[in-house]
Every structure is written in C-alpha cells, then in structure tokens.
Amino acid sequence: MRRLAQLREKLLGLPAFDDSRITDEWFRSHFHYASDVVAQWLSPVMDVSTARLLQFGCGDGITDLALVLRHGAAAIHGVDVRQEYAKLPRIAQEQLGLQRIPAALSFQTITPSAPLAGQAPLYDGIMSWSTFEHVQRDQLLPILKDLLACLKPGGHFFLQIEPLFYSAFGSHLRRYDSVAWHHLLVDEDALWKVIAAYDGELSPDEVDFGFADFGPEGYKRFVFKEYQELNRLTADELVALAKEAGFTVAREERRHYEPEPVPEALLAQYPREVLTNNEIFLLLQRPV
Ligand SMILES: C[S@@+](CC[C@H](N)C(=O)[O-])C[C@H]1O[C@@H](n2cnc3c(N)ncnc32)[C@H](O)[C@@H]1O
C-alpha cells in the first residue's frame, strides 16, 4: 500500500503547499532553518532524493515534512517516544494549506529502551535534531549502538544539540528566564520560583504545538520537568560516546555563545569551553 502511494507520488508529484501562509514561528523555524541545516550536512555525503532516512526524536515531524517538500527527500521514517507527529496533518494544513502528508513520510512511537535494529532494512542515513540532550544518560550508549546497527556500512548520522546544558541558556528555560547561566548559579527551588512567577509573553519561536495541550501553567511544569531530566551531556562526552558506540567522526562544528562575561564563580567550577559551547553539529559515519 505504502509503496504504491510512494510510486503514485513519484509519478504525479508531491502535494501542493504554500509556505507564504506560515504564521507560526515554531513551524517556520523547523520548516526552513532546521531542515536547511540538515540538508546542508547530509547532501555532500548522500543523495537525499534516493536515500532512506531515519529521524531519531522526530517530535512533531515538521523538519521531516520540509525535507520531503523542500529538499526532495525520498523516504523518512520518524521515531519518537511521544506522539507529537500525530498533529502534523492538522498543522501542515493550517500553515501550508497541505491536503495530505506525503507518502515519503512515516512515523512510529517507540519505547525508550526498545532496539530499532532489525525492524526495517538498513537506512542510508540517520538524523537527530535537539533530541540527544533529552535521552536518559544510561540509554545514550545503547541507543547510539542501536542506531549504528540501523545504518548501512558507510552510512552517515547527522546529530545536532542546542543548547548544550552548561551554556548560558542550557536549561532550555530561556522562554521564562533571561538570566544567563542561571541554572548553574541558583538551586532548583529558586529557579522554579522564577518560572512560576513569569507572566510575560513567550517568544513565539520557542512555543511548540504542545503548548495548547498543556495551557500556560501546565506548560511551565512540563518544560521544568524537561529541564530536570536533561542529561547534561557536553560536546566532548557526546563525541566520546559516539566513538565508543563504533562511529567515526566525519565532520563536526561547535558553536559558542557568550551573551555576557561568564561569572567568575562558574569559571572556578567548569572549563570556559564547556560554559560557552552552546551547540554541536556532528556528522558520524558507520565504518565500511
Ligand atoms: C526538543 S524535542 C525535539 C523534537 C524535534 N527533533 C524538533 O526539532 O522539533 C526532543 C524530542 O526527543 C524525544 N525523545 C526524548 N527521548 C527519546 C528517546 N529515548 N527516543 C526517542 N525520542 C526521544 C522527545 O519525545 C521529543 O520529541
């Protein structure tokens, strides 16, 4: 059935969309920025118009949709422990006037510790965007090994994390708290009081489609719990884990952000590099 739909799409083309209709800033940043970055990193190492791709931690699937509609990706399977992708048909209808989700896309809800290897033929490429900082620490190595086993030998895995935990807004709480490195300077109770007391506007590009489900106060609790569950991974730790899992590093880029001088108290506790490194782009490869 799916293959037939894909073939039909190949012959008749993708459903029409109009990205001038986009009003939601979260949607815009994933439909344009995130998908452009993923495409820029994957295109030199594979032909996305023929590759079968796996997105680990697909969230609402907007980036995957854009990879298909704007970058010609042939087949993307998105997996996530949550089911935000179920909102994609409605969101894409609202934001793009899209009548149906392309047959090139499929999604699956997974349990955090269940291996993916063996469930489908080996993938040509894997990607993961703003997800690995949320994976439970003891699951990082098993998941990386599992993803390696899902890839064809020689295949690539593009992974991005932003913001990294020890960076100025590594708490992921910037939408409520503009004090740089606040999460490293005060205890959890003090931090929660700041979030709970916040009654201003939220930056539109930081409000995902889950906000409507939770409401303003529920969203605060959800985001704070996400903060408490961050695995606090540094870029060096991520690279070391990826190598331990069996990947080689084909390319990497680390970005730095210092919106104001780093507090001396923190420099006494953590390396400056760790405190200023807010983003990592990593292109991993399964050895041939
Ligand atoms: C910040 S969201 C990013 C989602 C999407 N990549 C995006 O850019 O919008 C992090 C995602 O990681 C997912 N996640 C967390 N732990 C996971 C795991 N062990 N396996 C798969 N997905 C996971 C969460 O459910 C969430 O959708």
Side-chain angles (χ1 to χ4, degrees):
M1 254 331 242
R2 228 177 96 67
R3 280 194 179 279
L4 204 65
Q6 280 172 333
L7 188 68
R8 192 173 155 265
E9 204 159 85
K10 239 188 183 142
L11 294 172
L12 301 177
L14 290 162
F17 69 98
D18 175 6
D19 59 2
S20 71
R21 291 173 56 141
I22 298 175
T23 51
D24 184 280
E25 293 309 314
W26 173 271
F27 190 97
R28 193 191 309 283
S29 72
H30 286 74
F31 196 72
H32 286 282
Y33 173 71
S35 71
D36 286 355
V37 174
V38 174
Q40 278 159 17
W41 278 74
L42 288 185
S43 298
V45 291
M46 72 185 72
D47 179 359
V48 297
S49 72
T50 55
R52 280 183 56 257
L53 299 170
L54 174 69
Q55 173 82 265
F56 182 78
C58 61
D60 48 34
I62 299 167
T63 305
D64 304 310
L65 179 64
L67 283 163
V68 171
L69 293 179
R70 297 185 50 244
H71 297 282
I76 304 180
H77 185 59
V79 297
D80 202 294
V81 291
R82 297 176 65 219
Q83 232 176 47
E84 289 300 286
Y85 59 79
K87 297 175 179 152
L88 191 62
R90 173 182 62 78
I91 298 170
Q93 218 290 323
E94 279 168 19
Q95 296 294 313
L96 300 170
L98 195 77
Q99 293 305 313
R100 63 176 170 82
I101 297 300
L105 280 180
S106 58
F107 296 104
Q108 179 187 356
T109 310
I110 57 169
T111 32
S113 51
L116 294 168
Q119 287 190 21
L122 297 181
Y123 290 95
D124 300 293
I126 302 180
M127 60 237 167
S128 184
W129 184 270
S130 284
T131 291
F132 262 76
E133 73 273 36
H134 298 280
V135 170
Q136 236 175 270
R137 196 168 260 263
D138 63 353
Q139 285 171 10
L140 283 167
L141 188 58
I143 286 175
L144 284 165
K145 284 182 176 171
D146 182 40
L147 292 178
L148 180 97
C150 289
L151 255 187
K152 287 182 184 168
H156 287 81
F157 173 18
F158 172 64
L159 195 169
Q160 177 268 14
I161 296 180
E162 194 278 335
L164 286 159
F165 183 78
Y166 293 96
S167 64
F169 297 103
S171 63
H172 292 52
L173 295 171
R174 189 179 193 170
R175 33 171 107 62
Y176 297 114
D177 184 358
S178 58
V179 179
W181 294 283
H182 209 181
H183 59 303
L184 304 180
L185 293 165
V186 300
D187 65 26
E188 247 178 37
D189 288 346
L191 203 56
W192 170 247
K193 282 196 180 108
V194 174
I195 312 307
Y198 186 83
D199 67 354
E201 292 290 310
L202 296 184
S203 170
D205 63 344
E206 295 215 53
V207 180
D208 61 35
F209 286 91
F211 184 82
D213 302 337
F214 292 109
E217 294 310 310
Y219 195 65
K220 283 181 181 176
R221 287 191 292 276
F222 167 73
V223 172
F224 197 72
K225 188 162 172 284
E226 293 265 291
Y227 154 70
Q228 291 174 308
E229 290 173 358
L230 289 170
N231 59 28
R232 307 182 173 206
L233 201 59
T234 65
D236 279 347
E237 286 172 333
L238 174 65
V239 170
L241 282 165
K243 287 180 179 167
E244 192 180 341
F247 285 104
T248 56
V249 175
R251 183 183 162 199
E252 78 164 86
E253 182 183 328
R254 298 184 191 200
R255 293 195 174 162
H256 293 80
Y257 180 52
E258 193 172 348
E260 57 190 74
V262 184
E264 287 299 327
L266 294 182
L267 287 170
Q269 287 182 71
Y270 310 99
R272 164 177 287 280
E273 166 63 25
V274 167
L275 292 165
T276 57
N277 177 205
N278 69 318
E279 185 162 23
I280 181 164
F281 300 105
L282 197 54
L283 187 66
L284 302 169
Q285 188 172 23
R286 175 173 174 170
V288 181

